Amino acid sequence: MGINYDILYTFIIASTALAISPGPDNIYVLMQSIVNGKKYGFATVMGLMAGCFVHTTLVAFGVSAIIKQSDLLFFIIKLFGALYLFFLAFRVFRSDDALNLEAETVEKKSLSQLFKQGFIMNVLNPKVSIFFLAFFPGFLFSKTISNVVQFYVLGILFVLTGIFVFGSIAVLAGAISGYLKKSSKVGVVLKWLQIIVFIGIGIFILLSEK
């Protein structure tokens, strides 16, 4: 089938690094798990990840059509994707090192409410679609498989990776939050992890071929 497994392995590593890097989603999962319990954190995870399929569909059909039309348009998408990731790295660089872990601001909800809230948070966030548009095209792994199918494979791998990492955060919420609160340097380390991940993926996308 002409599958480039090296690209898939790189995608999984990059997705894992992105999931581990501190952002609004994994901090939200962490706080829901601390306040409500592990299964409530996991319900939030499933809602967030379910929303990813909506963005995968939008990107799969939209970008696939563009790729068929023009090599130049595909290059422009790759360039946009890399520049967007560099912008995210710059924004992290300008941000505060401290992590906000105030549990008092988290409202208690039922499992179904947390699932729906996670789903809606993800689906209605245009930044997720923009990120998928920036991230996925550089990891197409086959010249013989339909681009739509490839995007869905990448979407499934991204979701599975997210469930594993975010689920681990939910299960280990107490220990993770305790460590983050005790260590004054962890915020700096996680900040630079994000910067390195965004820049690294941006460079990979620029160098990737159709």
Side-chain angles (χ1 to χ4, degrees), residues 190-201:
L190 292 175
K191 175 180 176 176
W192 281 100
L193 172 64
Q194 274 188 294
I195 292 171
I196 292 169
V197 167
F198 284 139
I199 291 176
I201 295 173

Side-chain angles (χ1 to χ4, degrees), residues 85-158:
L85 289 165
F86 294 154
F87 164 73
L88 292 180
F90 177 72
R91 195 171 66 177
V92 173
F93 175 75
R94 294 288 301 274
S95 67
D96 190 0
D97 293 341
L99 297 175
N100 183 14
L101 298 176
E102 296 299 324
E104 293 80 6
T105 62
V106 180
E107 182 183 353
K108 292 192 175 184
K109 297 178 181 291
S110 68
L111 289 172
S112 60
Q113 285 176 321
L114 286 172
F115 177 87
K116 286 189 288 187
Q117 183 168 312
F119 180 79
I120 292 170
M121 275 176 58
N122 192 294
V123 169
L124 297 184
N125 185 353
K127 292 181 180 179
V128 180
S129 276
I130 293 172
F131 180 76
F132 275 32
L133 178 60
F135 186 46
F136 280 21
F139 290 91
L140 294 176
F141 53 87
S142 175
K143 293 183 179 180
T144 57
I145 300 173
S146 160
N147 288 327
V148 172
V149 172
Q150 290 185 70
F151 277 118
Y152 272 109
V153 170
L154 294 176
I156 291 169
L157 289 174
F158 187 88

